[in-house]
């Protein structure tokens, strides 16, 4: 087919131990999925999971052992970090039961759900969509994907974030309110998942602002670190 102008190149994430990359379809994100983060945002209790999306081209793909660059975004004075476990879907489906979820997972990565918190809070107050606070350019840094079989026990892994070498976030994936399998069950009831989808599973407590010049290092035990410099 001939196009009016060149289509955008596919967005892809490198995979450990593979020469082939993971082509990204959609990015789903789970809101308030750790209790102590829900509390710091002014909410309590276990509510049904809720979701928002980021376009695939908001990814900042950081290859193994490298430090990525994220430009400080426009319109905000309160850019927050949210360290998250990211699930890479290898096989699509709808109405996937939690007990079957593992069959649909290709692997895992460390991601950052960067957030223009001031804009998100304005939108929340007005009952408007979060897009401007969440789905902005370069808002989704991600490290390499580790295939499921090599990822270890990710559901019980330490998760953390350091900024300029100091601890900001530290928790365990076991504290997810809705675990990975339950998240896939809920998500696939609302959308048909496709191979290439990424799911940012939510952040633990400790979210706070970063500024130009900061270096963020995100970790999930068993996966490659994610290092990002704010430029
Ligand atoms: Mn998040």
């Amino acid at each position: 087919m001939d196009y009016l102008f060149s289509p955008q190149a596919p967005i892809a994430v490198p995979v450990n131990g593979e020469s082939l990359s993971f082509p990204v379809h959609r990015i789903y994100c789970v809101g308030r999925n750790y209790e102590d983060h829900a509390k710091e945002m002014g909410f309590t209790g276990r509510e049904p999971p809720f979701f928002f999306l980021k376009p695939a081209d908001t990814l900042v793909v950081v290859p193994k052992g490298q430090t990525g660059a994220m430009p400080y975004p426009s319109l905000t004075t309160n850019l927050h970090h949210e360290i998250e476990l990211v699930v890479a879907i290898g096989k699509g489906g709808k109405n996937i039961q939690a007990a079957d979820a593992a069959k649909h997972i290709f692997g895992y990565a460390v991601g950052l759900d960067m957030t223009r918190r001031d804009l998100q809070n304005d939108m929340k107050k007005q009952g408007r969509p979060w897009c401007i606070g969440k789905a902005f350019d370069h808002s989704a840094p991600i490290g390499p994907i580790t295939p499921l079989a090599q990822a270890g026990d990710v559901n019980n892994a330490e998760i953390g974030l350091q900024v300029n070498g100091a601890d900001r976030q530290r928790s365990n994936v076991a504290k997810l309110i809705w675990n990975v399998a339950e998240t896939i069950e809920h998500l696939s009831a609302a959308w048909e998942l496709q191979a290439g989808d990424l799911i940012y599973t939510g952040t633990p407590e400790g979210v706070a602002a970063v500024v130009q010049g900061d270096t963020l290092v995100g970790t999930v035990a068993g996966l490659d670190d994610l290092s990002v410099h704010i430029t």
Side-chain angles (χ1 to χ4, degrees):
M1 188 182 289
D2 291 330
Y3 298 104
L4 284 167
F5 47 86
S6 299
Q8 298 286 327
I11 311 294
V13 180
V15 177
N16 284 325
E18 280 269 3
S19 57
L20 302 175
S21 295
F22 180 93
V24 178
H25 176 240
R26 290 180 185 161
I27 306 172
Y28 296 99
C29 304
V30 188
R32 298 196 288 266
N33 204 14
Y34 288 82
E35 187 177 352
D36 287 345
H37 173 62
K39 284 179 181 166
E40 75 183 349
M41 301 306 289
F43 297 84
T44 54
R46 181 178 164 110
E47 53 185 343
F50 68 93
F51 306 101
F52 58 92
L53 288 96
K54 299 190 186 220
D57 66 358
T58 62
L59 287 173
V60 175
V61 177
V62 183
K64 189 180 183 76
Q66 296 187 23
T67 296
M70 178 192 173
Y72 195 93
S74 61
L75 303 180
T76 185
T77 56
N78 196 17
L79 175 66
H80 272 204
H81 53 75
E82 295 192 358
I83 186 67
E84 309 205 358
L85 170 68
V86 180
V87 182
I89 297 293
K91 181 183 166 213
K94 53 183 176 182
N95 297 317
I96 299 165
Q97 297 303 297
D100 297 322
K103 295 175 201 156
H104 296 264
I105 298 172
F106 172 80
Y108 295 100
V110 177
L112 280 162
D113 167 18
M114 299 301 290
T115 303
R116 294 193 284 207
R117 192 73 72 199
D118 41 4
L119 300 185
Q120 184 201 24
N121 287 342
D122 285 349
M123 293 299 110
K124 274 186 192 171
K125 270 185 222 143
Q126 298 181 65
R128 291 179 177 172
W130 290 8
C131 304
I132 200 167
K134 286 289 197 181
F136 55 94
D137 294 344
H138 315 291
S139 62
I142 190 169
I145 294 170
T146 297
L148 187 61
Q150 284 106 66
D153 186 10
V154 162
N155 289 298
N156 293 288
E158 296 284 332
I159 182 170
L161 183 82
Q162 293 194 326
V163 177
N164 304 327
D167 268 353
R168 286 280 186 90
Q169 294 185 267
R170 188 150 296 281
S171 187
N172 193 294
V173 175
K175 293 185 177 175
L176 278 172
I177 295 172
W178 300 96
N179 68 26
V180 168
E182 292 166 336
T183 294
I184 288 172
E185 177 170 324
H186 281 272
L187 189 57
S188 69
W191 290 272
E192 180 173 355
L193 294 182
Q194 306 282 341
D197 287 337
L198 297 174
I199 307 169
Y200 280 59
T201 55
T203 197
E205 67 277 14
V207 300
V210 290
V211 297
Q212 263 182 330
D214 283 347
T215 298
L216 290 63
V217 177
T219 55
V220 174
L223 306 179
D224 282 301
D225 294 356
L226 169 62
S227 179
V228 176
H229 187 64
I230 309 295
T231 63

